[in-house]
Amino acid sequence: LRPIQPIVMYQPDYHGRLTFTPNTLEIQSRIVDLVRGRKDEPDSVVISWELDIGQTELLKDDRFLREYNIRFVPNESLPQKCNTALGWLKGLSKPQQQNVKDLLFPVVAPMVKPLSHDQMSCDMSGLAGDFRSSDVLKPLNEAQASFVRMIRARTLDPTFESTRPACILTGPAGTGKTKTLIAAIADVLGLREQDKTNKNRILLCAPSHAAADVLTERLTAILRRDEIFRMYSSSRPSTTVSG
């Protein structure tokens, strides 16, 4: 962060006289999170920084209020991870590379046994749990229900000869992606039919701590706490983990 106009301060010169001196205040900061706005709300960026004593006093002084320029310095961690992944792919054999290509960039839809008429329902009203702060019981729209049915069909008709391409759930903020994902998880775990014999397990991954926290909180509406294992990255400070 750097002020568009320099902050002018009184500072003594070599002869001890006070003179106007432009002071460039530059704050090293980092982006903590990008919060997607819901529906018509704008996105917001969460920025964190550490200030020394002089910078703190300047920012507290109302006379030095300024508009700031922001210079974004890219994080090298993501490019390094991408290069590592590309290096791993380069070391694979040709058949292995083709398998990865078919998995990540499929050109044909996987063959799945179609659902019967009785298996088409996506009614979640039979779920047990505390839903006072959850929207999981609200009816799914047709696009959301179609995704749940696709997950159900793939679960009921597993393949062991090859790995099927991933299912992609996408859409703008506020369109119910998390709600649909929670409904699909409940369906796979047999919670909709209260199936006590269901032994399915799910590994749920997220790209950030905040996203994983939201998913964990939403899952507590349909699962007991002893049925959820929240794994934290070793790089996450323990002070940021909620009780």
Side-chain angles (χ1 to χ4, degrees):
L1 301 174
R2 178 182 295 173
I4 294 177
Q5 297 177 346
I7 296 176
V8 179
M9 301 179 60
Y10 283 107
Q11 290 186 345
D13 58 13
Y14 291 107
H15 302 287
R17 296 172 298 188
L18 294 178
T19 59
F20 286 111
T21 304
N23 181 15
T24 301
L25 175 64
E26 186 166 299
I27 303 172
Q28 300 294 326
S29 58
R30 64 186 182 90
I31 296 178
V32 177
D33 194 13
L34 173 62
V35 181
R36 297 290 301 276
R38 297 177 62 86
K39 296 183 179 179
D40 296 331
E41 296 179 356
D43 297 345
S44 59
V45 179
V46 181
I47 299 178
S48 173
W49 58 76
E50 295 182 0
L51 307 176
D52 59 33
I53 297 178
Q55 292 173 333
T56 303
E57 294 302 319
L58 284 176
L59 291 180
K60 287 181 179 179
D61 195 324
D62 294 339
R63 295 175 300 169
F64 300 142
L65 293 179
R66 293 289 189 274
E67 293 182 346
Y68 287 83
N69 283 323
I70 300 179
R71 181 169 62 95
F72 293 97
V73 180
N75 190 331
E76 297 181 357
S77 175
L78 182 59
Q80 289 175 351
K81 292 179 180 178
C82 291
N83 288 333
T84 300
L86 291 174
W88 173 77
L89 288 172
K90 187 177 180 181
L92 297 178
S93 65
K94 291 295 183 181
Q96 290 174 327
Q97 291 181 355
Q98 185 61 45
N99 289 338
V100 174
K101 181 179 179 181
D102 293 340
L103 177 64
L104 299 180
F105 308 103
V107 294
V108 295
M111 298 297 294
V112 181
K113 182 180 178 180
L115 298 174
S116 66
H117 177 75
D118 296 337
Q119 295 172 330
M120 295 294 286
S121 173
C122 287
D123 182 13
M124 295 293 166
S125 59
L127 290 176
D130 181 8
F131 302 103
R132 288 172 294 181
S133 59
S134 174
D135 60 355
V136 70
L137 290 185
K138 294 181 180 179
L140 302 174
N141 61 35
E142 184 53 36
Q144 295 168 343
S146 177
F147 179 84
V148 174
R149 293 189 191 102
M150 179 168 56
I151 298 298
R152 180 184 302 164
R154 292 168 66 123
T155 303
L156 294 175
D157 184 26
T159 175
F160 301 99
E161 292 78 17
S162 60
T163 303
R164 286 174 176 153
C167 294
I168 299 178
L169 176 64
T170 183
T175 54
K177 295 186 298 296
T178 304
K179 168 190 171 182
T180 305
L181 182 61
I182 298 300
I185 291 172
D187 193 81
V188 171
L189 295 179
L191 302 182
R192 192 174 63 89
E193 304 89 356
Q194 297 296 306
D195 183 4
K196 302 298 183 180
T197 63
N198 190 302
K199 301 298 183 181
N200 290 335
R201 297 293 182 266
I202 294 177
L203 174 62
L204 186 60
C205 304
S208 67
H209 295 309
D213 288 342
V214 169
L215 290 170
T216 303
E217 182 179 358
R218 297 286 287 273
L219 284 172
T220 57
I222 62 175
L223 296 172
R224 301 191 309 270
R225 290 188 177 273
D226 60 352
E227 295 177 320
I228 305 174
F229 178 74
R230 170 70 165 93
M231 180 180 291
Y232 293 97
S233 169
S234 60
S235 62
R236 182 174 187 178
S238 59
T239 54
T240 66
V241 179
S242 60

